[in-house]
Amino acid sequence: MSQLLDLIQSRRSDRHFSQQSVSNQDIKDLLEAFRWAPSCNNRQPWRVVLARSASAQEAFDAALSEGNRPWAPAASLKMIILGVPEEQPEKNGQQSYLLDVGFAMQNMMLQGYAMGLTIHAMAGFDANKIRDAFDIPASAQPVALMVAGYRGVVEQLPEAVRVKDLKPRTRKNLEEFSFANRYGEKDGF
Ligand SMILES: Cc1cc2nc3c(=O)[nH]c(=O)nc-3n(C[C@H](O)[C@H](O)[C@H](O)COP(=O)(O)O)c2cc1C
């Protein structure tokens, strides 16, 4: 179990990729990890569109935000992650489909990291461009883009991206988010 914690702690969203492509078997393994995520009532309200062809990859890159465009196009594997809200209708004000899709994404990120890949989720993209270019039906909601590949050379990134990539990873301390008995009450950690 501590091995799993090590993996969780060391996974990181790198921005540097080599040109090595991800094999179809590896892509299948990533999708397999994605597919086994838990979801409310096991409804699995997710879809994934892979940008495989040169024109699909170009359309994918064109939908990236300015912040993501300097680095994400170099990744060999480009994925559009979609949620289908009608397969997981809102209940008690909860948009569970987003949670379900998030679990699946995290499964894929951990599996990818264990396979030696780096996978980076992105909210920085134009959903309308993705809808148009990839024929996404109105029933499906683009939730995130994900890129994956083998690590490249961080020193070759443009300066502004390199700075982001080399920034130490941080997290809130336990006492900042974990309480006992009532919200805000410190636990013994
Ligand atoms: C839903 C989601 C959207 C994200 N969007 C972007 C993005 O558009 N651009 C980017 O550079 N990183 C993006 N990230 C990566 C986060 O910045 C990163 O996960 C966070 O800084 C923690 O770093 P770590 O993943 O290396 O632990 C996103 C992550 C998630 C989960």
Side-chain angles (χ1 to χ4, degrees), residues 22-188:
V22 182
S23 70
N24 268 340
Q25 183 54 56
D26 285 351
I27 295 173
K28 264 180 102 173
D29 287 349
L30 293 177
L31 292 171
E32 194 62 20
F34 186 99
R35 168 172 107 86
W36 277 100
S39 60
C40 192
N41 291 113
N42 199 21
R43 293 217 168 108
Q44 306 162 61
W46 46 61
R47 304 286 187 278
V48 181
V49 179
L50 305 186
R52 294 266 205 186
S53 69
S55 61
Q57 295 220 341
E58 210 174 288
F60 183 99
D61 294 346
L64 293 170
S65 67
E66 281 196 12
N68 292 329
R69 218 170 285 167
W71 59 271
S76 56
L77 179 58
K78 304 173 194 228
M79 298 174 278
I80 299 160
I81 310 297
L82 305 154
V84 184
E86 69 191 26
E87 289 182 1
Q88 191 68 279
E90 182 179 328
K91 215 158 107 185
N92 307 323
Q94 292 160 7
Q95 298 276 1
S96 292
Y97 86 96
L98 287 171
L99 271 180
D100 300 337
V101 174
F103 284 129
M105 288 170 60
Q106 175 70 344
N107 268 13
M108 185 190 270
M109 286 198 274
L110 290 173
Q111 176 63 28
Y113 190 79
M115 287 158 53
L117 293 167
T118 188
I119 305 194
H120 201 129
M122 293 175 291
F125 68 96
D126 183 325
N128 289 328
K129 285 187 185 169
I130 289 289
R131 274 192 186 287
D132 290 348
F134 293 89
D135 290 336
I136 309 294
S139 56
Q141 182 63 36
V143 171
L145 301 185
M146 290 177 89
V147 289
Y150 292 93
R151 279 176 206 87
V153 183
V154 68
E155 288 76 21
Q156 287 175 0
L157 288 171
E159 158 105 39
V161 182
R162 190 168 68 238
V163 168
K164 276 197 223 169
D165 223 38
L166 291 173
K167 229 165 92 184
R169 294 171 63 248
T170 58
R171 290 296 189 265
K172 287 179 178 157
N173 296 317
L174 289 193
E175 67 263 25
E176 290 179 82
F177 68 86
S178 148
F179 308 126
N181 308 321
R182 48 179 280 278
Y183 192 96
E185 188 164 313
K186 281 197 175 144
D187 208 335

